[in-house]
């Protein structure tokens, strides 16, 4: 066991989906995996391992924000030898051209967090996705007919930001959406030499607020990213 995950060695696959919401992890396990077994309930951060199209995969919640995902992702990588990690979560659009329910593949993640800067104070260390996973996810999503955008996102340390107008301005500079986890996941992947990707569904829009969705819709209806995430997990390297 690790400090925050109760699984024994061998109970977690080397490929994992990481939704922020633990109830979304439960939903994925119940609706997409066969023979799913729960390996973690510590702090109600549910984790499951099962099979998808004959491939052994896991899914586990990470909570909200970079400190939370950093704890779980690091333990999954270091203590359980997970090699391929895909975040499937929600994001808020910063672009007039990116709408609710569409997918965003985070090619890179800008951040206002000090998590990475604490380690590298003299550098702006770039947070980028695994190109292998990004390329596969893009073509899988397009083949499935899903509206999919590829580009940068903002991984923010705060949800209720005092820099609302500045965040909106980032959208005019090509940043597609804002979320709260991808930069930390990409940094951990770089540290440990594993693959990581963020696949986000737009759940609300900072520029078109009339498109916003409900909490229940966010938990149970954003299945496109789940399908793309699972197909990408099991794709050949």
């Amino acid at each position: 066991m690790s400090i925050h995950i109760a699984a024994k060695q061998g109970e977690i696959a080397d490929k994992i989906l990481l939704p922020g919401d633990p109830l979304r992890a439960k939903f994925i396990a119940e609706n997409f995996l066969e023979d799913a077994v729960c390996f973690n309930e510590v702090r109600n951060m549910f984790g499951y391992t099962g099979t998808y199209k004959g491939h052994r995969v896991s899914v586990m919640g990470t909570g909200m924000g970079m400190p939370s995902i950093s704890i779980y992702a690091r333990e999954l990588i270091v203590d359980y030898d997970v090699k391929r990690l895909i975040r499937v979560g929600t994001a808020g659009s910063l672009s007039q051209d990116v709408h609710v329910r569409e997918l965003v593949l985070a090619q890179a993640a800008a951040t206002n967090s000090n998590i990475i800067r604490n380690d590298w104070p003299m550098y702006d260390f770039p947070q980028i996705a695994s190109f292998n996973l990004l390329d596969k996810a893009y073509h899988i999503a397009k083949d499935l007919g899903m509206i999919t955008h590829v580009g940068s996102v903002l991984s923010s340390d705060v949800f209720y930001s005092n820099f609302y107008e500045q965040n909106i301005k980032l959208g005019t500079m090509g940043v597609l959406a804002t979320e709260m986890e991808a930069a930390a996941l990409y940094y951990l992947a770089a540290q440990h030499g594993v693959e990581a990707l963020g696949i986000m569904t737009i759940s609300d829009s900072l520029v078109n607020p009339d498109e916003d969705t409900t909490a229940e819709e966010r938990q149970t209806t954003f299945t496109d990213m789940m399908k793309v995430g699972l197909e990408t997990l099991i794709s050949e390297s």
Side-chain angles (χ1 to χ4, degrees):
M1 299 181 190
S2 65
I3 295 174
H4 301 92
I5 303 173
K8 298 175 183 177
Q9 290 299 317
E11 291 185 340
I12 302 177
D14 64 354
K15 305 174 182 69
I16 194 165
L17 287 189
L18 298 175
D21 185 352
L23 291 179
R24 187 179 295 129
K26 185 173 185 287
F27 177 86
I28 293 170
E30 291 176 346
N31 290 275
F32 290 94
L33 302 187
E34 295 182 0
D35 303 318
V37 176
C38 182
F39 64 75
N40 189 70
E41 294 179 327
V42 176
R43 295 175 180 255
N44 287 325
M45 198 57 71
F46 303 124
Y48 304 85
T49 296
T51 59
Y52 177 75
K53 295 186 175 180
H55 296 262
R56 190 166 181 263
V57 299
S58 295
V59 57
M60 182 178 177
T62 64
M64 290 188 286
M66 283 176 275
S68 186
I69 195 174
S70 293
I71 291 170
Y72 293 108
R74 185 189 185 282
E75 292 183 15
L76 288 166
I77 295 166
V78 174
D79 297 314
Y80 295 98
D81 205 29
V82 177
K83 301 297 186 185
R84 183 173 281 189
L85 305 92
I86 297 181
R87 163 167 157 68
V88 283
T90 56
S93 174
L94 294 173
S95 171
Q96 293 284 355
D97 299 321
V98 179
H99 301 284
V100 163
R101 296 188 180 279
E102 296 176 354
L103 298 186
V104 168
L105 306 181
Q107 181 177 19
T111 185
N112 54 22
S113 174
N114 284 325
I115 287 179
I116 299 145
R117 200 170 295 119
N118 286 339
D119 289 347
W120 301 92
M122 295 176 63
Y123 304 94
D124 289 325
F125 190 91
Q127 310 312 312
I128 59 173
S130 158
F131 180 76
N132 178 47
L133 295 185
L134 178 68
D135 182 54
K136 291 180 184 302
Y138 176 74
H139 286 97
I140 288 168
K142 296 300 285 187
D143 288 345
L144 291 172
M146 299 172 185
I147 299 175
T148 306
H149 307 270
V150 178
S152 299
V153 300
L154 169 65
S155 295
S156 179
D157 255 348
V158 290
F159 186 87
Y160 297 106
S161 175
N162 292 324
F163 299 99
Y164 182 85
E165 294 300 328
Q166 289 93 322
N167 290 348
I168 293 292
K169 189 172 182 181
L170 287 175
T172 69
M173 300 172 66
V175 178
L176 301 177
T178 180
E179 51 89 66
M180 300 185 73
E181 289 84 22
L185 178 61
Y186 289 0
Y187 181 52
L188 284 163
Q191 277 185 309
H192 298 283
V194 300
E195 293 184 290
L197 176 65
I199 303 175
M200 273 74 75
T201 301
I202 297 299
S203 60
D204 57 275
S205 175
L206 278 71
V207 290
N208 296 305
D210 57 316
E211 296 184 358
D212 292 0
T213 57
T214 67
E216 183 176 357
E217 287 176 309
R218 291 191 291 273
Q219 183 178 304
T220 61
T221 68
F222 291 166
T223 56
D224 283 355
M225 66 179 174
M226 301 171 193
K227 296 173 186 175
V228 174
L230 286 165
E231 292 292 334
T232 304
L233 273 187
I234 68 172
S235 63
E236 296 297 325
S237 298

